[in-house]
Amino acid sequence: MKYYISDLHFFRKTQTSDGEKPYPQYIVRGFKSVKEMNEKIIENWNSRVKDLDEVYIIGDFSNGSKEETLEILKRLKGQKYLIVGNYDQIITKNKELRRYFEKIDNYMEIYDEESKIIMCHYPLLWYDKTKNTDYMFHGHIHDVSTDLKIMNDIEDMMREKSLGAHFGATFINTYCEFSNYIPLSKKEWLKIHDERKLELYKSKNKNIS
């Protein structure tokens, strides 16, 4: 089985209530400590993933040290693939950590059933799309409301304007909080994407009326 997730940010104190908050646009995850957050993510991950499953981590795996990150990797099930984010230097620069991944790259394309999945930590507005079942899976923008709205508006505009061969573009934000820190399948992420778009439309129409 193929699963996807992004922006886990193990050991990032700014995601918990015991850390400083230099980025007010990021919503605190609700954990009292980094230890509590890390343990919950590991528990939820391993509740779904089996040893032979493929997990595509779409950037920003850990903000911890080499030793801290190594202990996390040892505990997580599955065959791991890393699409490099802006906080993954601790992994890319360390041979011991890199061996826990089947592949590490800045950009990946795979086939998942009938779909081509294009993956980059940063959302690419024009990606290698050949049919309407091809998707751009990304991370980076977390659950920041302004960025989520911008991505939704861009997706709608590209569908409406039919820009070249890239019409019908679909950008799937695989931010871990949207899935309760559980790596999800393509179909599960598409469902979350559709549900979130519906909520945005309801909110927009409510404001208009």
Side-chain angles (χ1 to χ4, degrees):
M1 192 70 182
K2 292 181 174 65
Y3 295 117
Y4 311 87
I5 197 165
S6 72
D7 298 278
L8 293 155
H9 285 289
F10 282 104
F11 296 101
R12 190 179 196 181
K13 280 192 173 183
T14 55
Q15 301 281 186
T16 67
S17 57
D18 69 342
E20 298 177 0
K21 304 296 178 295
Y23 309 114
Q25 68 270 32
Y26 288 157
I27 300 170
V28 176
R29 290 177 175 177
F31 299 105
K32 294 180 181 179
S33 67
V34 161
K35 181 178 180 180
E36 180 184 332
M37 177 181 72
N38 290 351
E39 290 300 320
K40 187 61 177 177
I41 295 174
I42 293 169
E43 177 187 348
N44 288 14
W45 175 301
N46 287 339
S47 72
R48 166 65 65 89
V49 177
K50 304 294 188 296
D51 288 335
L52 295 180
D53 290 332
E54 298 176 7
V55 184
Y56 293 86
I57 303 163
I58 310 179
D60 288 0
F61 178 75
S62 173
N63 291 66
S65 66
K66 170 197 165 185
E67 292 75 18
E68 290 171 331
T69 303
L70 179 61
E71 290 307 308
I72 297 292
L73 286 168
K74 287 178 178 179
R75 295 176 62 188
L76 292 176
K77 296 179 182 178
Q79 301 179 28
K80 304 168 196 66
Y81 295 76
L82 178 64
I83 296 87
V84 178
N86 48 306
Y87 284 96
D88 291 316
Q89 293 88 349
I90 191 70
I91 295 172
T92 58
K93 294 181 178 180
N94 190 278
K95 185 177 181 180
E96 187 174 2
L97 296 181
R98 292 199 305 268
R99 68 185 180 88
Y100 281 87
F101 294 88
E102 303 296 317
K103 183 178 180 180
I104 297 175
D105 210 336
N106 294 307
Y107 173 97
M108 290 187 196
E109 291 185 9
I110 65 168
Y111 281 89
D112 189 340
E113 298 178 328
E114 78 284 359
S115 302
K116 179 167 61 176
I117 308 296
I118 291 86
M119 291 174 285
C120 183
H121 181 61
Y122 315 99
L124 303 178
L125 300 189
W126 282 270
Y127 58 88
D128 187 14
K129 179 182 176 61
T130 56
K131 56 185 185 298
N132 283 333
T133 55
D134 296 341
Y135 305 101
M136 170 75 230
F137 278 35
H138 68 88
H140 193 55
I141 66 175
H142 292 210
D143 52 354
V144 179
S145 59
T146 52
D147 291 357
L148 294 176
K149 183 180 183 302
I150 289 169
M151 287 304 302
N152 180 72
D153 291 347
I154 289 172
E155 184 175 298
D156 289 346
M157 182 189 68
M158 293 182 77
R159 289 176 182 273
E160 178 184 351
K161 301 296 184 180
S162 298
L163 301 178
H166 304 278
F167 66 93
T170 306
F171 308 102
I172 307 297
N173 180 3
T174 60
Y175 181 47
C176 62
E177 281 198 68
F178 295 153
S179 67
N180 194 27
Y181 313 104
I182 300 172
L184 297 183
S185 68
K186 176 198 69 176
K187 289 181 180 179
E188 290 170 320
W189 276 117
L190 293 180
K191 181 180 179 182
I192 287 176
H193 175 77
D194 291 343
E195 289 172 348
R196 288 181 46 249
K197 284 186 73 71
L198 181 60
E199 288 300 315
L200 282 170
Y201 288 132
K202 286 181 178 179
S203 177
K204 184 186 297 184
N205 291 334
K206 182 179 180 180
N207 291 335
I208 291 174
S209 61

